[in-house]
Amino acid sequence: MRLRLFLLALGAFAVGTDSMVMTGILDGIADDLGTSLAAAGQLVTVFGLAYALLAPVLATVTARWDRRRVLFTALAIFTLANALSALAPGYGTLLATRILAAAGAALYTPTANAVATTLVPPERRGRAIATVLGGMTVATVLGVPLGAYLGRADWRWTMWLVTALGAAALAGLAALLRDLPAATAAPGIRERLAPLRNRQVIAGTFTTFLVFVAVNSIYIYLATAVRPATGGDQDRLSLILLVSGLASMAGNWLGGRLVDRLGVRAVLLTGGVLGALAYGSLPLLSGSMPGALCYAAVSPLVGWSMAVALPHRLISVDPPSAPLLMSLNSSALYLGLAAAGVVGSTAIDVLGGRWFPLVSVVAMAGAVTVTLTTVRRARPATAGAEAHPDPSSPSPLPEAAPQTL
């Protein structure tokens, strides 16, 4: 069981490396393909937007497919796309292959999370999701630095690295991912889209969006935020990024256990409050290396703990629709990443390089408010089969009328 979860995490590691490593090789791409750095940067934006838009669409299209087939198809598309990226002769071709890679990633990650929850008892869903998401966090510590290092010689080597990771995950799953729980009868299109009329689903995806706007509005511009501490020294910044990556891994591990033990509401509210405090303190902490390192240890720990709770919350709304709900969560995540770049840069222009983290306080406060009003408290267990409600279950608000969507 654990081996299959780790194989799913290997695929997430490949996807995470691919989605984040591009920022470290944009200079090489621009020089090699004879384009501007701004145009090369659009490769990152297009990947994120394509992922966000395609995730729910592909989840619906493949709803009648066997989950094993979906995973293999997703990794095959992802691996092929990255091989084509490595061979791309020009900017237009590379842009098209990045969209194709995003399609594979958008199909894989939500499905892997949904499959992970079927491999364990309900009370261990949080840890199962954390294991798969762990591939993403490990990518920030190992995959991205390795890819960036290879890209110093030739950015195409970075693409071949991601291709190899995708191929390894595909081979492992083909050999060892067998006997998945049988899928329920595939519903019609009307039933598959029914969760989109549920206010709890809308609230959950909006919370994901706000959390990732809050986290990444600072992370994308972390070099600017901690410049008073680093003085522009790359070695000091690398140390801060290393601590941040290790804290991300710890937060992912901790989040899975806290969700299973305390429930989604407690993790989201506690994490949201601590996150807002960390963001609000960063303008003061960034004045020294110890303060910047303290922020780098606390903020990712909190953020990745919440990242585990967010998809768990959506699954609890409608477990049979887990693949679609996971795709919506992934869409909200990547939309949050895309929006964070704009929000962060705008905040820097308006508030300055020291105080721009305050915009993340506002975004996280919004996430806490939505959680307070839409997720109920965990109830103590009583006798009987119905006495053990999922602690992550949201409050039973009425569904929104279809015409309001």
Side-chain angles (χ1 to χ4, degrees):
M1 192 76 68
R2 180 170 295 181
L3 177 59
R4 290 191 287 179
L5 289 176
F6 281 129
L7 286 172
L8 293 172
L10 177 59
F13 175 73
V15 170
T17 300
D18 190 33
S19 62
M20 291 181 284
V21 77
M22 292 295 291
T23 57
I25 58 175
L26 293 181
D27 288 337
I29 292 175
D31 292 341
D32 184 43
L33 300 183
T35 188
S36 68
L37 185 60
Q42 294 305 308
L43 295 169
V44 179
T45 302
V46 165
F47 183 96
L49 290 177
Y51 186 115
L53 296 174
L54 290 173
V57 174
L58 293 175
T60 301
V61 170
T62 61
R64 296 180 183 272
W65 293 16
D66 175 78
R67 294 299 94 187
R68 191 167 181 264
R69 178 188 174 192
V70 175
L71 289 172
F72 293 165
T73 301
L75 281 178
I77 293 173
F78 174 82
T79 303
L80 174 62
N82 278 283
L84 293 175
S85 293
L87 297 171
Y91 178 78
T93 304
L94 182 57
L95 192 65
T97 62
R98 299 314 298 152
I99 294 174
L100 186 61
L107 186 57
Y108 178 81
T109 306
T111 305
N113 277 318
V115 167
T117 64
T118 68
L119 298 177
V120 297
E123 65 272 12
R124 295 182 65 88
R125 282 178 182 166
R127 292 181 219 191
I129 293 173
T131 299
V132 176
L133 285 179
M136 301 285 286
T137 60
V138 173
T140 66
V141 180
L142 297 179
V144 173
L146 178 58
Y149 177 78
L150 291 175
R152 294 171 63 183
D154 188 337
W155 66 270
R156 297 177 190 273
W157 284 109
T158 303
M159 294 293 95
W160 285 120
L161 169 66
V162 178
T163 301
L165 292 173
L170 179 59
L173 291 177
L176 298 171
L177 190 67
R178 303 180 184 277
D179 302 322
L180 290 179
T184 57
I189 186 66
R190 189 181 185 88
E191 289 77 13
R192 287 202 300 270
L193 296 180
L196 298 178
R197 300 193 299 270
N198 189 323
R199 289 183 180 177
Q200 291 295 340
V201 173
I202 302 302
T205 53
F206 186 52
T207 303
T208 298
F209 173 79
L210 289 174
V211 168
F212 278 87
V213 168
V215 170
N216 289 284
S217 292
I218 295 177
Y219 184 76
I220 293 173
Y221 303 102
L222 187 60
T224 299
V226 299
R227 187 172 297 277
T230 65
D233 183 78
Q234 191 63 36
D235 290 338
R236 290 190 173 193
L237 179 60
S238 297
L239 177 59
I240 292 173
L241 290 173
L242 174 62
V243 171
S244 178
L246 294 174
S248 298
M249 294 176 60
N252 180 78
W253 178 87
L254 181 64
R257 281 149 183 78
L258 290 179
V259 167
D260 289 338
R261 181 180 295 271
L262 303 177
V264 163
R265 191 176 196 269
V267 173
L268 289 181
L269 291 180
T270 304
V273 171
L274 292 176
L277 289 174
Y279 307 145
S281 301
L282 182 55
L284 303 177
L285 294 175
S286 64
S288 67
M289 274 300 290
L293 290 172
C294 179
Y295 171 83
V298 173
S299 177
L301 185 73
V302 170
W304 279 97
S305 294
M306 297 178 73
V308 176
L310 291 165
H312 193 292
R313 173 193 178 180
L314 280 176
I315 286 180
S316 72
V317 174
D318 186 6
S321 300
L324 175 60
L325 295 175
M326 290 301 93
S327 69
L328 290 174
N329 185 75
S330 293
S331 290
L333 187 159
Y334 275 86
L335 283 175
L337 286 173
V342 178
V343 171
S345 63
T346 303
I348 291 174
D349 291 339
V350 174
L351 301 176
R354 180 178 183 183
W355 295 101
F356 83 91
L358 295 181
V359 73
S360 291
V361 177
V362 176
M364 189 61 83
V368 169
T369 301
V370 175
T371 301
L372 276 171
T373 56
T374 60
V375 183
R376 71 184 180 196
R377 295 178 183 275
R379 293 179 295 180
T382 58
E386 300 298 324
H388 300 280
D390 187 339
S392 65
S393 297
S395 55
L397 296 183
E399 291 187 348
Q403 63 268 24
T404 63
L405 292 178

Short mmCIF file of all heavy atoms in Angstrom, two decimals, residues 305-367:
data_model
loop_
_atom_site.label_atom_id
_atom_site.label_comp_id
_atom_site.label_asym_id
_atom_site.label_seq_id
_atom_site.Cartn_x
_atom_site.Cartn_y
_atom_site.Cartn_z
N SER A 305 0.94 22.63 5.44
CA SER A 305 -0.04 21.94 6.29
C SER A 305 -1.45 22.23 5.80
O SER A 305 -2.31 21.34 5.70
CB SER A 305 0.11 22.38 7.74
OG SER A 305 1.35 21.96 8.29
N MET A 306 -1.69 23.49 5.45
CA MET A 306 -3.00 23.88 4.92
C MET A 306 -3.24 23.25 3.55
O MET A 306 -4.38 22.89 3.20
CB MET A 306 -3.11 25.39 4.84
CG MET A 306 -3.04 26.10 6.18
SD MET A 306 -3.11 27.90 6.01
CE MET A 306 -4.86 28.12 5.59
N ALA A 307 -2.18 23.11 2.75
CA ALA A 307 -2.31 22.55 1.41
C ALA A 307 -2.84 21.12 1.45
O ALA A 307 -3.50 20.67 0.51
CB ALA A 307 -0.97 22.60 0.68
N VAL A 308 -2.53 20.38 2.52
CA VAL A 308 -3.06 19.03 2.68
C VAL A 308 -4.54 19.07 3.07
O VAL A 308 -5.35 18.28 2.60
CB VAL A 308 -2.26 18.26 3.75
CG1 VAL A 308 -2.87 16.90 4.00
CG2 VAL A 308 -0.81 18.12 3.32
N ALA A 309 -4.90 20.02 3.92
CA ALA A 309 -6.28 20.11 4.40
C ALA A 309 -7.25 20.53 3.31
O ALA A 309 -8.42 20.11 3.31
CB ALA A 309 -6.35 21.10 5.57
N LEU A 310 -6.82 21.34 2.36
CA LEU A 310 -7.72 21.90 1.36
C LEU A 310 -8.35 20.83 0.46
O LEU A 310 -9.58 20.80 0.32
CB LEU A 310 -6.99 22.95 0.54
CG LEU A 310 -6.62 24.23 1.32
CD1 LEU A 310 -5.59 25.04 0.56
CD2 LEU A 310 -7.87 25.06 1.58
N PRO A 311 -7.58 19.93 -0.16
CA PRO A 311 -8.24 18.88 -0.97
C PRO A 311 -9.03 17.90 -0.11
O PRO A 311 -10.06 17.38 -0.56
CB PRO A 311 -7.07 18.20 -1.68
CG PRO A 311 -5.88 18.50 -0.85
CD PRO A 311 -6.12 19.85 -0.27
N HIS A 312 -8.57 17.63 1.10
CA HIS A 312 -9.31 16.74 2.01
C HIS A 312 -10.70 17.31 2.27
O HIS A 312 -11.69 16.57 2.32
CB HIS A 312 -8.53 16.59 3.32
CG HIS A 312 -9.02 15.48 4.19
ND1 HIS A 312 -10.24 15.51 4.81
CD2 HIS A 312 -8.45 14.30 4.54
CE1 HIS A 312 -10.40 14.41 5.53
NE2 HIS A 312 -9.33 13.66 5.36
N ARG A 313 -10.77 18.62 2.43
CA ARG A 313 -12.07 19.25 2.68
C ARG A 313 -13.01 19.03 1.49
O ARG A 313 -14.18 18.70 1.66
CB ARG A 313 -11.87 20.75 2.89
CG ARG A 313 -13.20 21.50 2.97
CD ARG A 313 -13.05 22.99 2.87
NE ARG A 313 -14.36 23.63 2.92
CZ ARG A 313 -14.57 24.92 2.85
NH1 ARG A 313 -13.55 25.73 2.74
NH2 ARG A 313 -15.78 25.41 2.90
N LEU A 314 -12.50 19.22 0.28
CA LEU A 314 -13.35 19.05 -0.90
C LEU A 314 -13.83 17.61 -1.06
O LEU A 314 -14.97 17.37 -1.44
CB LEU A 314 -12.61 19.52 -2.15
CG LEU A 314 -12.58 21.03 -2.37
CD1 LEU A 314 -11.74 21.36 -3.59
CD2 LEU A 314 -13.99 21.58 -2.56
N ILE A 315 -12.96 16.65 -0.80
CA ILE A 315 -13.36 15.25 -0.90
C ILE A 315 -14.52 14.96 0.04
O ILE A 315 -15.45 14.22 -0.29
CB ILE A 315 -12.17 14.31 -0.58
CG1 ILE A 315 -11.18 14.31 -1.74
CG2 ILE A 315 -12.66 12.89 -0.33
CD1 ILE A 315 -9.99 13.43 -1.51
N SER A 316 -14.49 15.56 1.23
CA SER A 316 -15.53 15.28 2.22
C SER A 316 -16.89 15.83 1.80
O SER A 316 -17.92 15.38 2.29
CB SER A 316 -15.14 15.89 3.58
OG SER A 316 -15.23 17.30 3.55
N VAL A 317 -16.92 16.79 0.88
CA VAL A 317 -18.20 17.33 0.42
C VAL A 317 -18.97 16.29 -0.37
O VAL A 317 -20.18 16.12 -0.19
CB VAL A 317 -17.96 18.59 -0.44
CG1 VAL A 317 -19.27 19.08 -1.05
CG2 VAL A 317 -17.32 19.69 0.39
N ASP A 318 -18.27 15.56 -1.26
CA ASP A 318 -18.94 14.59 -2.13
C ASP A 318 -17.92 13.54 -2.55
O ASP A 318 -17.36 13.62 -3.65
CB ASP A 318 -19.53 15.31 -3.35
CG ASP A 318 -20.35 14.38 -4.22
OD1 ASP A 318 -20.56 13.22 -3.83
OD2 ASP A 318 -20.79 14.82 -5.30
N PRO A 319 -17.62 12.54 -1.70
CA PRO A 319 -16.58 11.55 -2.00
C PRO A 319 -16.71 10.88 -3.37
O PRO A 319 -15.69 10.67 -4.04
CB PRO A 319 -16.71 10.54 -0.85
CG PRO A 319 -17.26 11.35 0.28
CD PRO A 319 -18.21 12.34 -0.36
N PRO A 320 -17.91 10.52 -3.86
CA PRO A 320 -17.99 9.89 -5.19
C PRO A 320 -17.49 10.78 -6.32
O PRO A 320 -17.13 10.29 -7.38
CB PRO A 320 -19.49 9.59 -5.35
CG PRO A 320 -20.01 9.49 -3.95
CD PRO A 320 -19.24 10.51 -3.19
N SER A 321 -17.49 12.09 -6.10
CA SER A 321 -17.02 13.02 -7.13
C SER A 321 -15.58 13.46 -6.89
O SER A 321 -15.17 14.52 -7.35
CB SER A 321 -17.93 14.26 -7.17
OG SER A 321 -19.27 13.91 -7.47
N ALA A 322 -14.81 12.64 -6.17
CA ALA A 322 -13.45 13.02 -5.78
C ALA A 322 -12.57 13.45 -6.95
O ALA A 322 -11.89 14.47 -6.86
CB ALA A 322 -12.79 11.88 -5.00
N PRO A 323 -12.55 12.73 -8.10
CA PRO A 323 -11.67 13.17 -9.19
C PRO A 323 -12.00 14.58 -9.68
O PRO A 323 -11.09 15.39 -9.89
CB PRO A 323 -11.92 12.12 -10.29
CG PRO A 323 -12.35 10.90 -9.55
CD PRO A 323 -13.17 11.42 -8.39
N LEU A 324 -13.29 14.89 -9.86
CA LEU A 324 -13.66 16.22 -10.31
C LEU A 324 -13.32 17.27 -9.25
O LEU A 324 -12.79 18.34 -9.56
CB LEU A 324 -15.16 16.28 -10.62
CG LEU A 324 -15.71 17.68 -10.98
CD1 LEU A 324 -15.02 18.22 -12.22
CD2 LEU A 324 -17.21 17.63 -11.17
N LEU A 325 -13.57 16.95 -7.98
CA LEU A 325 -13.29 17.91 -6.91
C LEU A 325 -11.79 18.15 -6.78
O LEU A 325 -11.36 19.28 -6.53
CB LEU A 325 -13.87 17.39 -5.59
CG LEU A 325 -15.39 17.27 -5.55
CD1 LEU A 325 -15.85 16.65 -4.24
CD2 LEU A 325 -16.05 18.63 -5.74
N MET A 326 -10.98 17.11 -6.94
CA MET A 326 -9.53 17.29 -6.89
C MET A 326 -9.05 18.15 -8.05
O MET A 326 -8.12 18.94 -7.91
CB MET A 326 -8.83 15.93 -6.90
CG MET A 326 -9.00 15.11 -5.64
SD MET A 326 -8.40 15.93 -4.15
CE MET A 326 -9.89 16.73 -3.56
N SER A 327 -9.69 17.98 -9.21
CA SER A 327 -9.29 18.80 -10.35
C SER A 327 -9.65 20.26 -10.12
O SER A 327 -8.90 21.16 -10.49
CB SER A 327 -9.96 18.29 -11.63
OG SER A 327 -11.36 18.52 -11.61
N LEU A 328 -10.79 20.51 -9.46
CA LEU A 328 -11.16 21.89 -9.14
C LEU A 328 -10.19 22.49 -8.14
O LEU A 328 -9.81 23.66 -8.24
CB LEU A 328 -12.58 21.92 -8.58
CG LEU A 328 -13.71 21.63 -9.57
CD1 LEU A 328 -15.04 21.55 -8.83
CD2 LEU A 328 -13.77 22.69 -10.65
N ASN A 329 -9.77 21.69 -7.17
CA ASN A 329 -8.79 22.17 -6.19
C ASN A 329 -7.47 22.52 -6.88
O ASN A 329 -6.86 23.55 -6.60
CB ASN A 329 -8.55 21.11 -5.12
CG ASN A 329 -7.65 21.60 -4.01
OD1 ASN A 329 -8.05 22.37 -3.14
ND2 ASN A 329 -6.41 21.14 -4.02
N SER A 330 -7.05 21.65 -7.82
CA SER A 330 -5.82 21.92 -8.55
C SER A 330 -5.94 23.17 -9.41
O SER A 330 -5.00 23.97 -9.53
CB SER A 330 -5.46 20.72 -9.44
OG SER A 330 -5.10 19.61 -8.64
N SER A 331 -7.12 23.36 -10.02
CA SER A 331 -7.34 24.56 -10.83
C SER A 331 -7.23 25.81 -9.97
O SER A 331 -6.60 26.80 -10.34
CB SER A 331 -8.71 24.51 -11.50
OG SER A 331 -8.75 23.53 -12.51
N ALA A 332 -7.87 25.77 -8.80
CA ALA A 332 -7.81 26.91 -7.90
C ALA A 332 -6.39 27.18 -7.44
O ALA A 332 -5.96 28.34 -7.32
CB ALA A 332 -8.71 26.67 -6.68
N LEU A 333 -5.63 26.10 -7.21
CA LEU A 333 -4.23 26.23 -6.79
C LEU A 333 -3.41 26.96 -7.85
O LEU A 333 -2.69 27.93 -7.56
CB LEU A 333 -3.67 24.84 -6.52
CG LEU A 333 -2.27 24.68 -5.92
CD1 LEU A 333 -2.16 23.30 -5.28
CD2 LEU A 333 -1.17 24.84 -6.96
N TYR A 334 -3.53 26.51 -9.10
CA TYR A 334 -2.72 27.11 -10.16
C TYR A 334 -3.21 28.49 -10.54
O TYR A 334 -2.42 29.35 -10.95
CB TYR A 334 -2.67 26.18 -11.37
CG TYR A 334 -1.57 25.15 -11.24
CD1 TYR A 334 -1.79 23.96 -10.56
CD2 TYR A 334 -0.31 25.39 -11.74
CE1 TYR A 334 -0.79 23.02 -10.41
CE2 TYR A 334 0.71 24.46 -11.61
CZ TYR A 334 0.47 23.27 -10.93
OH TYR A 334 1.49 22.35 -10.77
N LEU A 335 -4.50 28.74 -10.42
CA LEU A 335 -4.99 30.10 -10.62
C LEU A 335 -4.45 31.03 -9.53
O LEU A 335 -4.11 32.19 -9.79
CB LEU A 335 -6.52 30.13 -10.61
CG LEU A 335 -7.22 29.65 -11.88
CD1 LEU A 335 -8.73 29.62 -11.67
CD2 LEU A 335 -6.87 30.54 -13.07
N GLY A 336 -4.35 30.49 -8.32
CA GLY A 336 -3.75 31.26 -7.23
C GLY A 336 -2.29 31.58 -7.51
O GLY A 336 -1.83 32.69 -7.25
N LEU A 337 -1.56 30.60 -8.06
CA LEU A 337 -0.17 30.84 -8.42
C LEU A 337 -0.05 31.93 -9.48
O LEU A 337 0.80 32.82 -9.39
CB LEU A 337 0.46 29.55 -8.94
CG LEU A 337 0.78 28.46 -7.91
CD1 LEU A 337 1.23 27.19 -8.61
CD2 LEU A 337 1.84 28.92 -6.93
N ALA A 338 -0.92 31.83 -10.50
CA ALA A 338 -0.88 32.83 -11.57
C ALA A 338 -1.24 34.22 -11.05
O ALA A 338 -0.60 35.22 -11.39
CB ALA A 338 -1.82 32.42 -12.70
N ALA A 339 -2.28 34.28 -10.21
CA ALA A 339 -2.71 35.57 -9.68
C ALA A 339 -1.68 36.15 -8.72
O ALA A 339 -1.53 37.38 -8.64
CB ALA A 339 -4.05 35.42 -8.97
N ALA A 340 -0.97 35.29 -8.01
CA ALA A 340 0.00 35.77 -7.02
C ALA A 340 1.09 36.60 -7.66
O ALA A 340 1.58 37.57 -7.07
CB ALA A 340 0.60 34.59 -6.26
N GLY A 341 1.50 36.23 -8.87
CA GLY A 341 2.52 37.02 -9.55
C GLY A 341 2.08 38.44 -9.79
O GLY A 341 2.85 39.39 -9.59
N VAL A 342 0.82 38.61 -10.19
CA VAL A 342 0.28 39.95 -10.43
C VAL A 342 0.05 40.68 -9.12
O VAL A 342 0.40 41.87 -8.97
CB VAL A 342 -1.03 39.86 -11.23
CG1 VAL A 342 -1.63 41.24 -11.44
CG2 VAL A 342 -0.79 39.17 -12.57
N VAL A 343 -0.54 39.98 -8.15
CA VAL A 343 -0.83 40.60 -6.85
C VAL A 343 0.45 41.06 -6.17
O VAL A 343 0.55 42.18 -5.65
CB VAL A 343 -1.60 39.62 -5.95
CG1 VAL A 343 -1.71 40.17 -4.52
CG2 VAL A 343 -3.00 39.35 -6.51
N GLY A 344 1.48 40.19 -6.18
CA GLY A 344 2.73 40.54 -5.53
C GLY A 344 3.43 41.71 -6.17
O GLY A 344 3.90 42.63 -5.48
N SER A 345 3.49 41.72 -7.51
CA SER A 345 4.17 42.82 -8.19
C SER A 345 3.42 44.14 -8.01
O SER A 345 4.04 45.19 -7.83
CB SER A 345 4.31 42.51 -9.68
OG SER A 345 3.04 42.38 -10.30
N THR A 346 2.09 44.06 -8.03
CA THR A 346 1.29 45.27 -7.80
C THR A 346 1.51 45.80 -6.39
O THR A 346 1.63 47.02 -6.16
CB THR A 346 -0.20 45.00 -8.03
OG1 THR A 346 -0.39 44.50 -9.37
CG2 THR A 346 -1.03 46.25 -7.83
N ALA A 347 1.55 44.88 -5.42
CA ALA A 347 1.77 45.29 -4.03
C ALA A 347 3.13 45.94 -3.85
O ALA A 347 3.29 46.90 -3.07
CB ALA A 347 1.62 44.08 -3.10
N ILE A 348 4.14 45.43 -4.56
CA ILE A 348 5.48 46.04 -4.48
C ILE A 348 5.44 47.46 -5.01
O ILE A 348 6.03 48.38 -4.43
CB ILE A 348 6.50 45.18 -5.25
CG1 ILE A 348 6.73 43.87 -4.52
CG2 ILE A 348 7.82 45.93 -5.41
CD1 ILE A 348 7.61 42.89 -5.28
N ASP A 349 4.73 47.65 -6.13
CA ASP A 349 4.63 49.00 -6.71
C ASP A 349 3.91 49.96 -5.77
O ASP A 349 4.28 51.14 -5.66
CB ASP A 349 3.89 48.94 -8.04
CG ASP A 349 4.70 48.25 -9.13
OD1 ASP A 349 5.93 48.17 -8.97
OD2 ASP A 349 4.09 47.77 -10.10
N VAL A 350 2.88 49.46 -5.07
CA VAL A 350 2.05 50.33 -4.24
C VAL A 350 2.63 50.50 -2.83
O VAL A 350 2.70 51.63 -2.30
CB VAL A 350 0.61 49.78 -4.14
CG1 VAL A 350 -0.23 50.60 -3.17
CG2 VAL A 350 -0.04 49.76 -5.52
N LEU A 351 3.07 49.38 -2.23
CA LEU A 351 3.50 49.41 -0.83
C LEU A 351 5.02 49.45 -0.66
O LEU A 351 5.51 49.75 0.43
CB LEU A 351 2.94 48.18 -0.08
CG LEU A 351 1.42 48.04 -0.07
CD1 LEU A 351 1.02 46.73 0.61
CD2 LEU A 351 0.78 49.22 0.65
N GLY A 352 5.73 49.10 -1.71
CA GLY A 352 7.19 49.08 -1.60
C GLY A 352 7.71 47.69 -1.29
O GLY A 352 6.96 46.79 -0.87
N GLY A 353 9.00 47.49 -1.47
CA GLY A 353 9.61 46.19 -1.30
C GLY A 353 9.61 45.67 0.12
O GLY A 353 9.76 44.46 0.33
N ARG A 354 9.44 46.54 1.10
CA ARG A 354 9.45 46.07 2.48
C ARG A 354 8.06 45.68 2.97
O ARG A 354 7.89 44.65 3.64
CB ARG A 354 10.02 47.15 3.40
CG ARG A 354 10.06 46.72 4.86
CD ARG A 354 10.69 47.77 5.76
NE ARG A 354 10.78 47.32 7.14
CZ ARG A 354 11.23 48.06 8.15
NH1 ARG A 354 11.65 49.32 7.91
NH2 ARG A 354 11.28 47.56 9.37
N TRP A 355 7.05 46.45 2.61
CA TRP A 355 5.72 46.27 3.20
C TRP A 355 4.74 45.50 2.32
O TRP A 355 3.62 45.25 2.72
CB TRP A 355 5.12 47.63 3.56
CG TRP A 355 5.89 48.33 4.63
CD1 TRP A 355 6.79 49.34 4.46
CD2 TRP A 355 5.88 48.04 6.03
NE1 TRP A 355 7.34 49.72 5.68
CE2 TRP A 355 6.80 48.94 6.66
CE3 TRP A 355 5.19 47.14 6.83
CZ2 TRP A 355 7.03 48.94 8.03
CZ3 TRP A 355 5.42 47.12 8.19
CH2 TRP A 355 6.32 48.02 8.78
N PHE A 356 5.16 45.09 1.13
CA PHE A 356 4.22 44.39 0.25
C PHE A 356 3.69 43.08 0.83
O PHE A 356 2.60 42.63 0.43
CB PHE A 356 4.85 44.16 -1.13
CG PHE A 356 5.75 42.95 -1.22
CD1 PHE A 356 5.25 41.71 -1.60
CD2 PHE A 356 7.10 43.06 -0.96
CE1 PHE A 356 6.07 40.61 -1.69
CE2 PHE A 356 7.94 41.97 -1.05
CZ PHE A 356 7.43 40.74 -1.42
N PRO A 357 4.39 42.40 1.77
CA PRO A 357 3.81 41.17 2.33
C PRO A 357 2.46 41.38 3.03
O PRO A 357 1.74 40.40 3.27
CB PRO A 357 4.88 40.71 3.34
CG PRO A 357 6.16 41.22 2.78
CD PRO A 357 5.80 42.58 2.21
N LEU A 358 2.11 42.62 3.32
CA LEU A 358 0.83 42.86 3.98
C LEU A 358 -0.35 42.44 3.11
O LEU A 358 -1.43 42.13 3.62
CB LEU A 358 0.70 44.33 4.36
CG LEU A 358 1.70 44.85 5.40
CD1 LEU A 358 1.45 46.33 5.71
CD2 LEU A 358 1.63 44.02 6.69
N VAL A 359 -0.15 42.40 1.79
CA VAL A 359 -1.24 41.96 0.92
C VAL A 359 -1.57 40.49 1.17
O VAL A 359 -2.72 40.05 1.03
CB VAL A 359 -0.87 42.20 -0.56
CG1 VAL A 359 0.17 41.21 -1.05
CG2 VAL A 359 -2.11 42.12 -1.44
N SER A 360 -0.56 39.72 1.57
CA SER A 360 -0.80 38.31 1.89
C SER A 360 -1.60 38.16 3.18
O SER A 360 -2.34 37.18 3.35
CB SER A 360 0.53 37.56 2.00
OG SER A 360 1.15 37.45 0.74
N VAL A 361 -1.42 39.09 4.09
CA VAL A 361 -2.23 39.08 5.31
C VAL A 361 -3.71 39.20 4.96
O VAL A 361 -4.56 38.49 5.51
CB VAL A 361 -1.81 40.22 6.26
CG1 VAL A 361 -2.70 40.24 7.50
CG2 VAL A 361 -0.34 40.08 6.66
N VAL A 362 -4.02 40.10 4.03
CA VAL A 362 -5.41 40.31 3.62
C VAL A 362 -5.97 39.05 2.96
O VAL A 362 -7.10 38.62 3.26
CB VAL A 362 -5.51 41.51 2.66
CG1 VAL A 362 -6.94 41.67 2.15
CG2 VAL A 362 -5.04 42.78 3.36
N ALA A 363 -5.19 38.45 2.05
CA ALA A 363 -5.66 37.24 1.37
C ALA A 363 -5.89 36.10 2.34
O ALA A 363 -6.90 35.38 2.27
CB ALA A 363 -4.66 36.83 0.28
N MET A 364 -4.97 35.91 3.29
CA MET A 364 -5.12 34.82 4.26
C MET A 364 -6.28 35.09 5.21
O MET A 364 -6.99 34.15 5.62
CB MET A 364 -3.83 34.61 5.03
CG MET A 364 -3.83 33.35 5.89
SD MET A 364 -4.05 31.83 4.91
CE MET A 364 -2.37 31.54 4.36
N ALA A 365 -6.49 36.35 5.56
CA ALA A 365 -7.65 36.69 6.40
C ALA A 365 -8.95 36.33 5.69
O ALA A 365 -9.91 35.86 6.31
CB ALA A 365 -7.63 38.18 6.75
N GLY A 366 -8.99 36.53 4.37
CA GLY A 366 -10.15 36.12 3.60
C GLY A 366 -10.36 34.62 3.64
O GLY A 366 -11.50 34.15 3.78
N ALA A 367 -9.28 33.85 3.55
CA ALA A 367 -9.39 32.39 3.61
C ALA A 367 -9.90 31.94 4.97
O ALA A 367 -10.73 31.02 5.07
CB ALA A 367 -8.03 31.76 3.32
#
